[in-house]
Amino acid sequence: AKVKKVLEFGMKPILCIGETQEEYDLGITEEVCAMQVSKDLAGVSKKDLENVVLAYEPVWAIGTGLVCDAEDANKVHKFIRTVLAKMYDEEAAQSIRIQYGGSVTPESVDGLMAMSDIDGCLVGGASLFSDKFARICNFKAAEE
């Protein structure tokens, strides 16, 4: 309902989803994320989805200094796309921007941005330090 309301006011929402440490430890990350996406995008049309950005932010990583391994984060991003493909279609699933957020650092950004399904990073605390933020913004793309 909140995403739909933000869209109605002509704004572009960033929908943040992610599991707690307990849910991560229980191995139910995918179930939690699927439920959050399904619930939070209920009633949002495919056309309106074009104005939504998703961010996978494992709660256990926010502000803790812990970062989800890049490959694990990418698996969750891929899974989110399968959920979106079922809700909408493959085109919508592939075209939506899914960012990673959760203690993104200069040390982790290159690995995260090298992943196929991570479309960007949602930076929190590191944005308060110009040198760290500049390094994140100027991440080193993987050589092709």
Side-chain angles (χ1 to χ4, degrees):
K2 291 178 186 176
V3 171
K4 201 169 174 183
K5 187 60 88 179
V6 169
L7 289 164
E8 287 172 10
F9 281 94
M11 295 184 285
K12 295 186 178 195
I14 299 176
L15 172 59
C16 299
I17 63 165
E19 77 285 1
T20 63
Q21 180 73 57
E22 182 181 13
E23 292 163 339
Y24 176 78
D25 291 342
L26 289 170
I28 59 171
T29 296
E30 289 184 352
E31 292 84 349
V32 170
C33 290
M35 180 189 65
Q36 291 172 343
V37 168
S38 299
K39 184 177 119 232
D40 295 336
L41 293 178
V44 175
S45 69
K46 180 182 172 183
K47 179 75 176 141
D48 282 342
L49 192 65
E50 294 172 8
N51 291 309
V52 176
V53 172
L54 270 174
Y56 168 57
E57 287 198 287
V59 177
W60 53 267
I62 300 170
T64 64
L66 299 172
V67 180
C68 185
D69 176 76
E71 290 186 8
D72 290 340
N74 197 56
K75 285 179 192 166
V76 176
H77 283 230
K78 281 183 188 284
F79 174 75
I80 293 166
R81 291 190 199 281
T82 66
V83 172
L84 292 167
K86 289 176 189 165
M87 290 177 68
Y88 299 95
D89 59 25
E90 192 62 31
E91 178 188 23
Q94 293 306 317
S95 63
I96 192 167
R97 180 174 305 220
I98 305 177
Q99 299 181 330
Y100 173 80
S103 296
V104 176
T105 65
E107 296 76 31
S108 65
V109 69
D110 295 341
L112 290 165
M113 291 305 297
M115 296 292 109
S116 61
D117 281 273
I118 297 178
D119 300 321
C121 292
L122 196 61
V123 183
S127 67
L128 300 175
F129 303 94
S130 60
D131 57 331
K132 289 182 178 183
F133 191 54
R135 172 61 184 88
I136 290 169
C137 292
N138 295 299
F139 71 91
K140 306 282 190 261
E143 298 292 323
E144 301 223 5

